[in-house]
């Protein structure tokens, strides 16, 4: 009976901690971003095509495991779309996680990442460029804002775009990874989880002591 109780307590503790620690889904690793599934629009397209083509502007480039969006403006009409081969289920994954690095020449304050389901409903997050440095890649996480009809089980495409009406600031950012995840707990939450797990371990240890 003690063994069953011990197993149940440990299982409960793990079920509480693991979702916060491991639930993440990578949507694009930017190791080969230019593809038949990728469309560039506005001044992010080779010739400024407002309808979009597969050809990026000449200042964009593919790096080793990352893609550099440099030289285009932060206009809301300039963007890059990526269409998945099949719908992706991101149910319960409500945070955007983006790993990136600033590049020389950036003057844009932010950009926007938008997800679309097959019916055009959306979820989005605005990414402040001040959170990134030029020396190393770092990861930024923020909560997504969902439209009322967005179907999280039917993610069909994402868009990276400027976020300014008639924006004319220059974007200089290299993106290494785009993912969605569960909410990131506050430090105080980690403290509570640690205390609870410690309490479980102490209780289990007492159960293992032989009776006097």
């Amino acid at each position: 009976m003690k063994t069953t109780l011990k197993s149940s307590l440990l299982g409960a503790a793990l079920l509480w901690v693991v979702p916060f620690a491991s639930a993440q889904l990578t949507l694009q690793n930017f190791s080969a971003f230019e593809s038949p599934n990728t469309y560039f629009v506005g001044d992010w397209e080779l010739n400024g095509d407002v309808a979009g083509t597969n050809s990026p502007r000449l200042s964009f480039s593919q790096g080793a495991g990352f893609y550099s969006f440099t030289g285009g403006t932060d206009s809301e009409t300039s963007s890059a779309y990526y269409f998945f081969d099949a719908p992706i289920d991101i149910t319960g994954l409500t945070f955007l996680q983006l790993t990136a690095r600033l590049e020389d020449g950036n003057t844009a304050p932010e950009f926007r990442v938008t997800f679309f389901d097959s019916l055009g409903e959306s979820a989005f997050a605005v990414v402040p460029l001040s959170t990134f440095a030029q020396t190393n890649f770092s990861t930024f996480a923020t909560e997504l804002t969902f439209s009322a009809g967005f179907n999280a089980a039917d993610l069909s495409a994402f868009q990276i775009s400027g976020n300014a009406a008639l924006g004319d600031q220059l974007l200089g950012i290299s993106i290494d990874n785009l993912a969605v995840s569960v909410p990131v707990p506050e430090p105080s939450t980690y403290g509570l989880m640690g205390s609870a797990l410690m309490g479980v371990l102490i209780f289990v240890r007492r159960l293992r002591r032989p009776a006097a």
Side-chain angles (χ1 to χ4, degrees):
M1 181 158 177
K2 287 183 178 180
T3 302
T4 302
L5 178 59
K6 179 173 66 176
S7 300
S8 298
L9 288 170
L10 287 173
L14 288 172
L15 284 173
W16 190 30
V17 174
V18 168
F20 290 106
S22 62
Q24 176 181 320
L25 176 64
T26 297
L27 300 175
Q28 174 63 246
N29 63 15
F30 293 91
S31 60
F33 184 61
E34 294 179 25
S35 74
N37 292 15
T38 311
Y39 290 83
F40 299 89
V41 178
D43 70 23
W44 290 15
E45 196 274 335
L46 180 63
N47 299 305
D49 194 323
V50 295
T53 72
N54 297 118
S55 301
R57 65 178 295 124
L58 290 177
S59 58
F60 287 6
S61 62
Q62 178 65 59
F66 61 88
Y67 192 80
S68 294
F69 299 85
T70 55
T73 70
D74 64 346
S75 171
E76 62 184 359
T77 61
S78 299
S79 62
Y81 290 86
Y82 184 86
F83 295 86
F84 298 108
D85 290 326
I88 295 175
D89 188 350
I90 61 168
T91 301
L93 304 175
T94 59
F95 264 55
L96 171 77
Q97 256 184 227
L98 190 133
T99 303
R101 178 183 69 194
L102 278 182
E103 299 296 343
D104 290 338
N106 178 75
T107 58
E110 61 188 25
F111 65 98
R112 181 179 176 120
V113 177
T114 307
F115 298 134
F116 297 98
D117 66 18
S118 62
L119 297 180
E121 295 290 344
S122 63
F124 76 91
V126 174
V127 181
L129 286 162
S130 60
T131 61
F132 302 109
Q134 287 187 319
T135 51
N136 297 301
F137 285 94
S138 58
T139 300
F140 170 77
T142 188
E143 190 168 7
L144 289 160
T145 299
F146 293 86
S147 66
F150 181 76
N151 183 358
D154 183 36
L155 177 62
S156 298
F158 70 81
Q159 175 196 30
I160 298 171
S161 67
N163 195 47
L166 304 177
D168 59 1
Q169 299 297 306
L170 293 180
L171 184 69
I173 187 79
S174 291
I175 302 179
D176 178 64
N177 198 63
L178 175 66
V180 285
S181 66
V182 297
V184 179
E186 296 293 330
S188 59
T189 305
Y190 281 118
L192 287 172
M193 289 191 295
S195 297
L197 184 57
M198 181 62 70
V200 169
L201 293 174
I202 291 171
F203 182 67
V204 170
R205 186 171 182 179
R206 286 177 178 172
L207 288 177
R208 295 177 62 187
R209 288 179 180 172

